[in-house]
Amino acid sequence: MPELPEVETIRRGLEDVLVGREFLGAEVLWGKSLVCEGVDVDDLRGCEVLAVERRGKFLVMRFSSGFVVTVHLRMSGRLIAEEDGGELPFERVRMRFSGGLNLKFCDMRKFGRVWVSSAEEYEKLTGIWKLGPEPLLGDVGAEVFEGKRGAVKKVLLDQTVLAGVGNIYADEACFYAGVRPDARMEKLSRGQLEKLFEGVVVALKQGIRNRGTSISDFEDAFGGKGKNQELLYVYGRGGKECLKCGGVLERGKVAGRTTVWCEVCQGEVQGKLEF
DNA sequence: CCCCTATCCTGAGGGC
DNA sequence: TGCCCTCAGGATAGGG
């Protein structure tokens, strides 16, 4: 479910309520959801939350004494911060903080993870070390796609190329750029690569501005819904009319993932982006 | 090297 | 109503 904009939405919510709180303890309701490396989760008792950061689709919580808690929501994970002590559906890990605040990691499909480690270990433990650059920092551009081979969508989903893009925003970025998701990256012109990068940035920023895409049931840190699902051009709209040209949107598999695109609008670069 | 599939899991929704 | 099948936004290992 969650891609960069959804994780960023959660991060902002958690930053507001978590920084400065003291960690009191954790309850593990499903053992595989919590992975500790060289640390026991009880070691964090008494530590203070210093910062809530995001790297790609990972959420990184920094604690005093050099501890780090990293979360990846994968397909169905959610992080809910609330004072209510009741057990939520599919709750897997609960972290208790001062002031009665509980951080509840819920994950129906159990693919998500919460890692506890030292600040020195967390990148290696979680795989964050191999992520590509952040798309929204403004320090990289279309050059990240240069020399990459294979379907455009496959490259967009490759977290080592660029961190944070998933299925929804990959399809939207291709539409914005006027590029077919099954086009070969190595055959795109420099201009098309720039359009594609710009498309990624536009799609992600719009997602953040609208507090995420609540397609199945994405929720922010307080159970609120995003509204980006109302602003998607292609994702989830296979067989429906293209909002730009009125034609019928195609649906198929690219890079093993359900993909939607417009044969007319994504045949070639259409000129300057107007989104 | 490239692409596809299976796998980790569970529930929703469609077809019959 | 109920059963069975397919599908789902992530990531990675392994096979052809």
Side-chain angles (χ1 to χ4, degrees):
Chain A
M1 161 200 331
E3 306 179 33
L4 186 154
E6 289 73 36
V7 178
E8 178 62 19
T9 299
I10 293 171
R11 187 200 69 77
R12 292 178 182 186
L14 291 183
E15 183 175 54
D16 287 344
V17 299
L18 228 43
V19 170
R21 298 224 188 220
E22 181 189 340
F23 178 79
L24 300 180
E27 273 77 56
V28 182
L29 292 80
W30 179 257
K32 286 185 180 176
S33 295
L34 182 72
V35 176
C36 297
E37 175 70 26
V39 182
D40 190 291
V41 69
D42 289 332
D43 297 343
L44 271 72
R45 284 193 180 154
C47 293
E48 180 190 341
V49 179
L50 301 179
V52 182
E53 303 170 356
R54 179 191 56 73
R55 181 75 172 89
K57 303 174 191 172
F58 292 83
L59 196 78
V60 180
M61 291 181 272
R62 295 187 183 274
F63 287 74
S64 57
S65 304
F67 292 117
V68 171
V69 174
T70 310
V71 179
H72 198 305
L73 302 169
R74 291 283 177 93
M75 297 283 265
S76 60
R78 297 153 93 178
L79 272 174
I80 302 289
E82 61 181 14
E83 293 189 9
D84 188 330
E87 188 175 328
L88 291 176
F90 315 115
E91 190 175 337
R92 308 300 184 198
V93 179
R94 175 179 303 196
M95 298 180 69
R96 289 181 287 103
F97 291 90
S98 54
L101 193 76
N102 295 311
L103 183 60
K104 304 172 181 179
F105 173 71
C106 305
D107 188 19
M108 183 186 81
R109 291 175 71 180
K110 299 177 175 172
F111 293 163
R113 287 291 178 274
V114 178
W115 294 273
V116 182
S117 67
S118 68
E120 292 73 34
E121 302 262 10
Y122 86 96
E123 290 207 16
K124 181 139 284 178
L125 176 64
T126 60
I128 283 177
W129 67 275
K130 53 185 163 184
L131 290 180
E134 288 291 319
L136 299 182
L137 290 184
D139 57 344
V140 293
E143 72 275 6
V144 298
F145 299 136
E146 277 175 1
K148 305 301 177 194
R149 304 169 52 81
V152 164
K153 177 147 174 184
K154 191 209 75 168
V155 177
L156 290 179
L157 294 176
D158 185 341
Q159 303 297 300
T160 70
V161 173
L162 207 51
V165 179
N167 205 29
I168 297 174
Y169 296 96
D171 277 12
E172 294 297 307
C174 287
F175 182 82
Y176 287 140
V179 170
R180 292 178 61 105
D182 60 349
R184 307 287 304 186
M185 188 68 93
E186 66 270 25
K187 294 203 171 165
L188 297 192
S189 67
R190 174 72 200 190
Q192 284 176 307
L193 295 184
E194 286 174 3
K195 279 278 192 303
L196 189 62
F197 191 87
E198 192 186 344
V200 168
V201 170
V202 169
L204 293 176
K205 283 188 173 175
Q206 183 194 271
I208 293 172
R209 197 162 58 240
N210 292 287
R211 302 183 56 79
T213 301
S214 295
I215 278 283
S216 63
D217 55 2
F218 163 72
E219 293 181 351
D220 65 24
F222 315 111
K225 304 278 188 195
K227 59 183 168 83
N228 199 55
Q229 64 279 5
E230 300 161 15
L231 301 166
L232 300 177
Y233 282 89
V234 284
Y235 176 80
R237 302 193 64 250
K240 295 184 180 171
E241 83 287 0
C242 173
L243 296 174
K244 197 168 168 189
C245 76
V248 179
L249 293 174
E250 296 291 324
R251 183 178 189 270
K253 290 267 183 200
V254 179
R257 314 296 298 279
T258 298
T259 301
V260 180
W261 71 96
C262 175
E263 288 281 347
V264 176
C265 298
Q266 291 171 262
E268 54 186 289
V269 175
Q270 300 285 308
K272 187 167 167 51
L273 296 186
E274 295 167 8
F275 299 97

